[in-house]
């Protein structure tokens, strides 16, 4: 059959509260135009993030009941550790309450002033955790990864030439670790090819630099490799994921994405000495090494989720969802990052609202309009999230892309929900000439998108 269906039945539902355009206008004003500050109850379709928003399976809920809540050596920890070892091959497994806790521990140990940590593209918290250690976060994605229209199949790839150049310029001693984000979240959820992971590895090997995967969406990346890279079509996604991890020395993981749970993460690696130091930090900030800030039940749910996320029917449905939305947007001439990513559709805000310059946050203006029009909550990934003001000249330094991400919670929304989202996007696109630029009226010192306030120009 050609129709790819949601490969699950729904046995528990959560009602959606409907609101009117007028009501939403009021809610947005109360939130000073920051969509993070809107009560979820006042959102109809919540595509703010795919993080921690998955629906768990019956088997995961059963695992929740089985959770062993012993402080030390819980049965649930051993199940979790075994599953992470099976999929990643890494011997040292350290649970954390979410991805950024793993990042903070890793960069706390390896970062420091003068150090540079390259990646294809660091996501917001990763960059913030690197910069808070006084290190520099360098984004070295290939040129196609910054071209929303390019159909290159692996737009998340690292530019290995630029990586070599960076190593030559700053010296390998200043680069304690190199990251690869799979899939590349800031660049449109685009995958990294196995060939690119290997070539990155080879360059790093020559200089004795370890490679860590930011593995949040490793299963989606594995599925893209299966579909797009020659030689992988007949391999299982689990096998492909194992091969991806086998090229790395460790990983940070937000289990809130491809482990299909609502909270959790881990840091994993082979280096026993580094892991010993990481556990010492963990005990101070997160908890004892067999729970790391999580409940035993959370560890059970992660172990089960890691198994389920690699099911091919699930991944086929998952990737098809973004493709489906992409096809409808393409037919209507709405600009977005092509080909569609694994976990989201990213509208190209520069092309969508070319009359709004980056310093007036075109992505934020579109995100606000999507909310008012249809109660759809999305997330700006552009000048709000990654833009900076030059301290010397006061001019706006724009990131390479101005995007609005509509991220898809896993196993939560059906095809008709997405048909509704498409209708809302098309309506906002039709009225795009009336979108107005915005300005920031309050901004915190770091990660400003979460708590900033805005007004219209
Ligand atoms: C997202 C969330 C989290 C993330 C990630 C990558 C590649 C590490 C982390 C941190 C964050 C977010 C953004 C906008 C709105 C809501 C939430 N990404 N690496 O949605 O993991 O959140 O568990 O600390 O994407 O992409 P964690």
């Amino acid at each position: 059959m050609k129709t790819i269906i949601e490969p699950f039945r729904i046995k528990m539902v959560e009602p959606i509260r409907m609101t009117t355009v007028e009501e939403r206008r009021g809610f947005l004003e109360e939130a000073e135009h920051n969509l993070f500050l809107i009560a979820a109850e006042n959102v109809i379709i919540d595509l703010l993030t795919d993080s921690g928003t998955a629906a768990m399976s019956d088997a995961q809920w059963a695992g929740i009941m089985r959770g062993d809540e012993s402080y030390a050596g819980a049965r649930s920890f051993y199940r979790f550790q075994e599953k992470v070892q099976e999929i990643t091959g890494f011997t040292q497994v350290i649970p954390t309450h979410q991805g950024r806790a793993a990042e903070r521990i890793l960069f706390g140990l390896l970062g420091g002033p003068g150090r540079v940590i390259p990646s294809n593209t660091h996501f917001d918290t990763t960059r913030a955790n690197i910069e808070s250690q006084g290190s520099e976060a360098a984004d070295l994605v290939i040129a196609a990864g910054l071209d929303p229209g390019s159909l290159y199949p692996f737009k998340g790839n690292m530019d290995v030439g630029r990586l070599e150049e960076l190593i030559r310029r700053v010296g390998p001693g200043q680069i304690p670790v190199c990251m690869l984000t799979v899939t590349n979240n800031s660049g449109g959820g685009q995958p990294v090819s196995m060939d690119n992971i290997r070539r990155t590895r080879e360059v790093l090997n020559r200089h004795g630099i370890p490679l860590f995967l930011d593995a949040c969406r490793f299963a989606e990346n594995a599925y893209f490799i299966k579909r797009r890279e020659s030689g992988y079509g007949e391999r299982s996604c689990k096998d492909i994921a194992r091969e991806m991890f086998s090229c790395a020395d460790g990983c940070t993981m937000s289990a809130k994405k491809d482990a299909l749970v609502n909270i959790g993460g881990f840091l994993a690696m082979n280096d026993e000495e580094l892991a010993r130091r990481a556990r010492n930090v963990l005990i101070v900030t997160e908890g004892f090494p067999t729970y790391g800030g999580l409940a035993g039940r959370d560890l059970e749910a992660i172990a089960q989720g890691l198994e389920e996320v690699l099911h091919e029917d699930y991944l086929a449905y998952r990737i098809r969802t973004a493709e489906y939305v992409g096809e409808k947007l393409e037919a209507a001439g709405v600009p977005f990052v092509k080909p569609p990513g694994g976990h989201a559709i990213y509208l190209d805000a520069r092309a969508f609202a070319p009359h709004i310059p980056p310093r007036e946050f075109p992505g934020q203006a579109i995100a606000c309009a999507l909310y008012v029009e249809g109660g759809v909550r999305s997330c700006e990934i552009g000048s709000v999230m990654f833009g900076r003001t030059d301290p010397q000249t006061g001019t706006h330094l724009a990131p390479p892309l101005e995007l609005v991400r509509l991220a898809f919670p896993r196993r939560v929304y059906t095809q008709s929900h997405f048909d509704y989202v498409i209708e809302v996007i098309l309506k906002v696109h039709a009225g795009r000439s009336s979108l107005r630029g915005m300005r920031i009226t309050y901004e915190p010192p770091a990660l400003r998108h979460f708590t900033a306030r805005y007004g219209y120009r």
Side-chain angles (χ1 to χ4, degrees):
M1 298 301 291
K2 281 206 300 291
T3 307
I4 295 173
I5 61 169
E6 288 88 357
F8 47 80
R9 296 187 297 186
I10 298 167
K11 79 164 129 194
M12 191 192 282
V13 297
E14 194 181 351
I16 293 175
R17 202 176 82 85
M18 296 299 173
T19 49
T20 64
V21 170
E22 270 323 301
E23 284 173 321
R24 293 192 291 271
R25 227 175 245 135
F27 297 139
L28 189 62
E29 237 151 70
E30 271 165 45
E32 296 182 60
H33 299 92
N34 184 334
L35 295 163
F36 285 96
L37 304 182
I38 287 187
E41 203 191 31
N42 298 328
V43 174
I44 294 178
I45 306 281
D46 204 347
L47 307 184
L48 180 70
T49 177
D50 64 321
S51 181
T53 51
M56 290 204 293
S57 66
D58 47 0
Q60 284 180 295
W61 281 109
I64 294 269
M65 296 306 293
R66 276 199 310 269
D68 175 355
E69 304 303 340
S70 305
Y71 191 96
R75 188 178 61 238
S76 301
F77 169 74
Y78 295 110
R79 180 167 178 231
F80 160 82
Q81 177 177 251
E82 201 178 302
K83 186 52 73 183
V84 175
Q85 286 171 338
E86 179 195 326
I87 289 169
T88 67
F90 300 132
T91 55
Q92 309 298 310
V93 180
I94 300 169
T96 59
H97 78 275
Q98 58 184 81
R100 68 195 72 179
E103 292 164 4
R104 203 194 67 80
I105 293 171
L106 182 68
F107 301 129
L109 294 172
L110 299 180
R115 302 254 160 104
V116 182
I117 297 169
S119 178
N120 45 354
T121 317
H122 295 284
F123 200 59
D124 62 345
T125 57
T126 323
R127 171 170 285 277
N129 272 300
I130 290 169
E131 290 175 351
S132 74
Q133 299 296 330
S135 310
E136 185 191 325
D139 293 339
L140 303 176
V141 74
I142 55 166
L146 299 175
D147 172 4
S150 159
L151 290 175
Y152 187 70
F154 291 103
K155 287 167 76 174
N157 280 358
M158 172 80 90
D159 187 330
V160 284
R162 282 170 71 206
L163 177 64
E164 290 224 58
E165 208 178 280
L166 176 84
I167 298 171
R168 218 171 311 122
R169 184 160 56 79
V170 306
Q174 290 303 90
I175 304 179
V177 63
C178 174
M179 306 290 297
L180 263 181
T181 312
V182 294
T183 59
N184 188 25
N185 191 12
S186 325
Q190 303 292 327
V192 181
S193 71
M194 193 73 82
D195 176 62
N196 188 257
I197 300 177
R198 288 198 179 289
R199 285 192 297 124
T200 302
R201 173 84 242 192
E202 278 160 27
V203 170
L204 298 172
N205 274 354
R206 263 185 270 129
H207 302 280
I209 300 169
L211 173 65
F212 270 57
L213 299 185
D214 180 337
C216 297
R217 300 177 180 87
F218 75 96
E220 291 167 8
N221 200 92
Y223 187 75
F224 279 122
I225 289 176
K226 183 182 171 92
R227 290 273 300 270
R228 297 180 183 173
E229 196 162 349
S230 79
Y232 289 93
E234 298 305 314
R235 301 264 301 275
S236 73
C237 288
K238 189 181 219 171
D239 205 29
I240 296 171
R242 287 204 53 143
E243 187 176 331
M244 285 163 50
F245 285 113
S246 76
C247 300
D249 299 284
C251 72
T252 56
M253 172 77 185
S254 170
K256 299 170 73 173
K257 284 85 172 176
D258 269 352
L260 298 171
V261 294
N262 306 119
I263 195 70
F266 56 85
L267 175 61
M269 63 193 83
N270 287 326
D271 184 333
E272 285 179 36
E273 172 55 21
L274 185 62
R276 192 181 58 75
R277 290 166 58 212
R279 288 192 184 97
N280 287 338
V281 179
L282 187 85
I283 288 178
V284 178
T285 60
E286 292 275 300
F288 189 72
T290 61
Y291 74 88
L294 293 171
R297 64 181 84 99
D298 297 325
L299 297 168
E300 287 281 344
I302 294 171
Q304 179 62 29
L306 285 172
E307 184 62 39
E308 290 176 13
V309 79
L310 286 162
H311 290 179
E312 318 257 328
D313 290 343
Y314 161 76
L315 284 166
Y317 136 79
R318 173 77 178 156
I319 302 303
R320 176 63 197 148
T321 307
E323 259 174 25
Y324 173 79
V325 176
E327 284 166 10
K328 303 278 174 170
L329 297 184
E330 170 91 49
V334 178
F336 66 97
V337 176
K338 286 167 211 162
H343 65 296
I345 281 282
Y346 294 67
L347 300 178
D348 177 1
R350 272 181 204 262
F352 196 112
H355 59 291
I356 306 178
R359 66 170 187 282
E360 293 182 14
F361 311 117
Q364 188 64 21
I366 295 167
C368 287
L370 293 171
Y371 175 70
V372 170
E373 198 58 59
V376 174
R377 177 153 68 172
S378 56
C379 181
E380 194 267 10
I381 299 191
S383 277
V384 172
M385 193 182 279
F386 292 115
R388 296 283 177 272
T389 305
D390 187 324
Q392 256 97 56
T393 62
T395 52
H396 177 71
L397 305 170
L401 296 168
E402 298 290 338
L403 306 174
V404 177
R405 184 184 73 171
L406 296 116
F408 304 165
R410 293 169 179 77
R411 305 190 292 206
V412 169
Y413 292 116
T414 63
Q415 185 167 347
S416 78
H417 289 121
F418 285 104
D419 285 332
Y420 174 86
V421 170
I422 292 159
E423 189 181 336
V424 173
I425 298 172
L426 263 48
K427 190 132 187 237
V428 171
H429 187 246
R432 61 194 178 279
S433 60
S434 63
L435 292 168
R436 286 156 59 203
M438 308 191 79
R439 66 196 164 82
I440 291 183
T441 54
Y442 161 77
E443 87 174 273
L447 294 170
R448 68 178 175 184
H449 48 288
F450 289 121
T451 54
R453 311 292 153 102
Y454 312 82
Y456 283 102
R457 284 254 161 199

